[in-house]
Amino acid sequence: MAAGAVGLSSVAALKGVLTSWEERLRAVRDECEQLKGNLLTVAREMGESETAVTSSVRGVHVPGPADGER
């Protein structure tokens, strides 16, 4: 009878490990979902800033060799 109970205790331990990993993976999934929204917001804002900087720099004249300056 004791030999049969050994298998049952290992099944219970494995179920505990499985439950623990499922909880961890849910937490990781939830964190990734939150980060996704935040990262998309940052990407949009950075793109808008880059567009604004590019537009403002186009109007700046940088003297070069073609201008006859050294």
Side-chain angles (χ1 to χ4, degrees), residues 9-19:
S9 65
S10 66
V11 169
L14 288 173
K15 179 63 176 165
V17 171
L18 175 63
T19 301

Side-chain angles (χ1 to χ4, degrees), residues 6 19 23 34-35 37 54 68:
V6 171
T19 301
E23 291 170 358
Q34 180 183 1
L35 287 173
T54 300

Side-chain angles (χ1 to χ4, degrees), residues 14-36:
L14 288 173
K15 179 63 176 165
V17 171
L18 175 63
T19 301
S20 171
W21 275 105
E22 288 173 338
E23 291 170 358
R24 291 175 188 193
L25 290 173
R26 270 192 293 276
V28 168
R29 183 199 59 214
D30 294 345
E31 182 71 18
C32 288
E33 284 297 318
Q34 180 183 1
L35 287 173
K36 176 184 172 185

